[in-house]
Amino acid sequence: MKTVSAQKKINWLQKKSSETRRLILQTVHHAGAGHIGGPLSVTDLLIALYFDVMNIKPDEPLWAERDRFVLSKGHSAIALYTVLALRGYFPVEELKTFDDIDSRLQAHPDMKLLPGLDMSTGSLGQGISAAVGMALGAKLKQQTFSTYCIIGDGESQEGQVWEAADVAAKYELDNLVVIMDYNKLQQFGWKGTEGREREIPIFSPEDRWAAFGWNVLAIDGHDVEQIIEACQQAKRVHGKPTVVIAHTVKGKGVSFMENNYTWHAKVPNAEELKAALEELDMGV
Amino acid sequence: MQLQLDKKVAMRDAFGETLLQFTKDDPRVYAVDGDLATSTRLDKVAEGNPAKFLQMGIAEQNMLGVASGLATVGLQPWVCTFAAFIVKRSLDQIAVTIAQPKLDVKMIGAYSGLLTGCTGKTHQGLEDIAIMRSLANMVVLAPADAVEVKKVMEFARDYHGPVYIRLARDPLPTLFAEETHTFTPGKGVKLIEGQDVTIISTGTQTGRAVQAANLLRAAGIQAGVLHLPSIKPIDVEAIVEAAERTGAVVATEEHSIYGGLGSAVAEVLVEHKPVPMTRVGVRDLNSESGPNDALLKKYQIAVEDIVRGAKEVLQRKEKENV
Ligand SMILES: Cc1ncc(C[n+]2csc(CCOP(=O)(O)OP(=O)(O)O)c2C)c(N)n1
C-alpha cells in the first residue's frame, strides 16, 4: 500500500516530466536544431535521478561528495539541461541559448562550460568508461558517492561499452549504476522485421549484461516509481555494478513522434509544436 | 654537454622507477596499464606499490576513458602503453574525454618510433607526435635520455592538464647530468653551438644528431645541435635564433616526416625566418621488422642520413648566398 504522501511525490515528479518535455520541444523549436526522440525518451529517468535519487547540491555543483552523473548518450543534452535548470543549477530562461554561439548549453555536454556536468560527451560509447573511472576513483579514495550513467541502446553497439562493462565487473563497482535507455530505435538503424520500423536487433540486453557479471534489473523507464525503486535496489547490492534496463519509448509523450525514428533529430515546425504541446497538456 | 655513448640507460627503466616513486610520494598518482606492464616497466609499480596499479586489460579505448573519470575525482592517472596503441586506438577518446576538457591525465607512449624490438610496423609509433600535437590543450614531450625522462615526468606531475610523453624501448646513450639538467616546457636545449648549420632534433634522435654534428665537425663543418624535448609548446625563439645564426636547418626525428617535429619547425620558420631546411625522418614508407641498425639505415634516419641532410642544406644555403 502506497502512502498518500508517496503517491503525491510520484504525481509531482510526473508533472515535472511533462514540464521538461514541453521545454525540450519549445527549446529545440526555438533553436531550430537539436534532438527530439532521445531526449523525450530519457526524460523520466533524468527526473527521477535529479529530483529524488541523487545526492546533490545544485548551489554547490562541484561538491566533492556529490553523486556523479554521466549522460553517455550526449545527444540528449537538451533533456539534461532542462532538468538541471528546473533543479536550480541555472535559470530556465537560459535554455533559450541552447546550441548558440557562446552558450554554456552546447549541442553536446561540455563539462568545462556548465557547472553541474560531470563529463563531456557526444561521441557515443565513451561516457560509460568515464563513469567507471569515477566509481573506481570513489573506491580508491574511499568516498561514498554513487555514479550514475545513462547509455543508449544504439550506443551499446560500440565495443567500448563492453570493455567498460568488463572492467566495472572486475573491480566490483557496486557504487556504479548504468541505466540503458532501451527505446529500441537509434538514428537510422536496421529495417524492422515485425512491423516495428527500423527496430534495433539487440538480443536481450538483460542477458548480455548478466553475462558480464552485472546485477541486472529491468523496468518500465517511464514509471518514476520503478526507476527510484531500481536505484534503491542497486544500493543494496554488494560486489557488482548494476545495470537498469529501462524499457522506454523514443519520442515519448507525443503520439506522432513515438516510436518513429524520423524524429530522432527533427525540429518541429510551429504547427507540429502546437499539436505536441496540446497533447502534453492533456497528459499529466 | 658530454655524449656518453658507453653509458646507456633505457628510458623505460627510468620511467618505471620514477613513476613508482611518484606513486609513493603523491596520493594522487596511479599507474594505469593496458596489459603491457612487463614491456613498459609499469610492472615496477605493480610490484613496488600494488595498491597504486590499475589493470585495464587489452582495451585501450576504455582505459583512456576510465583515466578521464579518475581525473575528475582528483586523481592523476598515468596511462602507459605502446605509442602506436595509445594514440591511434584511442584518439577520439583522448580528444573528447581528456584533451577538450583539459583533464589531468598523463599519457605515456612507450616504444615510440622505429626501434620497437623487431616488432615491425604494427608496433611502431611513427605518427604519435603528429596526432597528439594536433589536439587542443595537449602538451607533447619527447625526452632524449633517461635523465631527461625523469625531469619531464617531474614537470608533468606538477602540471595540471593532459601531457603526452614519448619514450623509446632500447637503452640510449646518456646526454645529460642528473644534477645540472633542467626541463622547461616550451624551451629547447642548445647542445652544440654551430655557425654553418643547425640540427634540430627531438627524443631518441638527439643522440644521433650529436654524433652527426661530431662527424661534420671532423669534416670542417660547424654544425650546432638544438634539442627540443618540448614539441608543443615549441621554442619559437630558439628556432628563429638558430636560423638567423646559421642560415640552414635540418630537423630530425624518429617519426614520420609528416606532422612531426620537422613540420613543427617548418611552421615556425615559414612564419618567422625562412631559411633552407630539410627533414630527416621516416619518409612515406611502409616499415618492417628488423634489427635497429638496419632499420635506421633503410628508413633513412641513421647518423649518416643526418650528415647527408646537413650537407644538402648547406649547399642550398651557399647557392642562395652567391
Ligand atoms: C561515435 C558516434 N557515432 C555516431 C554518432 C551519431 N549519432 C548520434 S545519436 C545516434 C543514435 C543513437 O542511438 P541510441 O543510443 O539508441 O540513442 P537514442 O535512440 O536514445 O537517441 C547516432 C548514430 C555519434 N554521436 N557518435
Side-chain angles (χ1 to χ4, degrees), chain A residues 66 68 111-112 118-123 126 128-134 136-138 140-141 143 145 158 160 163-164 167 171, chain B residues 30 51 53-63 65-70 72-75 92-93 96-97 100-103:
Chain A
R66 72 188 184 280
R68 303 304 200 271
M111 66 182 286
K112 281 289 161 190
D118 291 321
M119 183 47 60
S120 298
T121 52
S123 183
Q126 300 190 14
I128 182 171
S129 298
V132 168
M134 291 170 192
L136 179 57
L140 296 171
K141 294 179 80 182
Q143 285 182 287
F145 66 81
E158 288 285 358
Q160 184 180 355
E163 296 180 1
V167 163
Y171 279 96
Chain B
Y30 279 81
F53 178 84
L54 301 173
Q55 181 58 265
M56 288 298 131
I58 312 159
E60 293 77 14
Q61 302 181 8
N62 179 59
M63 172 163 69
V66 169
S68 75
L70 291 169
T72 65
V73 302
L75 301 176
D92 191 34
Q93 284 72 13
V96 174
T97 64
Q100 287 166 14
K102 207 168 188 255
L103 290 175

Side-chain angles (χ1 to χ4, degrees), chain A residues 146-162:
Chain A
S146 298
T147 298
Y148 298 87
C149 174
I150 295 184
I151 61 169
D153 47 3
E155 176 180 15
S156 302
Q157 286 146 10
E158 288 285 358
Q160 184 180 355
V161 170
W162 303 100

